Amino acid sequence: MNSLLGKFNYFNPTQLTMADTKNVTIYPKTKVLGVLLEVFNVDVNYYKYQRSIEIKSNSDSPFAEPAPLYSNVKAGLGCFSAYNAAQVKVSFPNK
């Protein structure tokens, strides 16, 4: 069977390699029964701290300059921040 993803057998799972080198298995006969959506509302301090952790973890080169972690605590280290998370479950009717 031909699809947008290429040619694959309709009954057997297919292993694909995405552009970011992650492997994805596609099961053609499965149905999606629902989706769980999660939304985060973060303040500026939380965003800056998480971003600094991401930058620090992505610097794999031993010759790279060390990236400092964001801190908003006076005369100390750490981050005082807040976030709020909300989840919505969307169920699809079973036909």
Side-chain angles (χ1 to χ4, degrees):
M1 169 178 258
N2 288 327
S3 74
L4 295 175
L5 300 173
K7 195 171 203 172
F8 63 92
N9 188 338
Y10 188 66
F11 298 103
N12 294 330
T14 302
Q15 188 82 19
L16 296 176
T17 303
M18 305 307 281
D20 58 356
T21 68
K22 291 184 181 178
N23 291 329
V24 176
T25 304
I26 297 177
Y27 298 94
K29 299 258 330 173
T30 53
K31 293 182 180 181
V32 177
L33 301 177
V35 177
L36 181 65
L37 303 172
E38 190 168 26
V39 178
F40 286 90
N41 184 11
V42 300
D43 70 348
V44 173
N45 295 317
Y46 182 86
Y47 175 79
K48 287 180 180 179
Y49 181 71
Q50 290 297 326
R51 183 73 177 130
S52 68
I53 290 175
E54 183 180 344
I55 290 171
K56 189 173 185 77
S57 67
N58 286 340
S59 60
D60 294 334
S61 173
F63 305 109
E65 189 174 325
L69 283 177
Y70 175 77
S71 175
N72 63 353
V73 176
K74 303 295 183 206
L77 295 174
C79 180
F80 186 79
S81 62
Y83 73 91
N84 186 18
Q87 292 182 344
V88 176
K89 185 175 182 180
V90 179
S91 298
F92 302 119
N94 196 3
K95 291 185 179 182

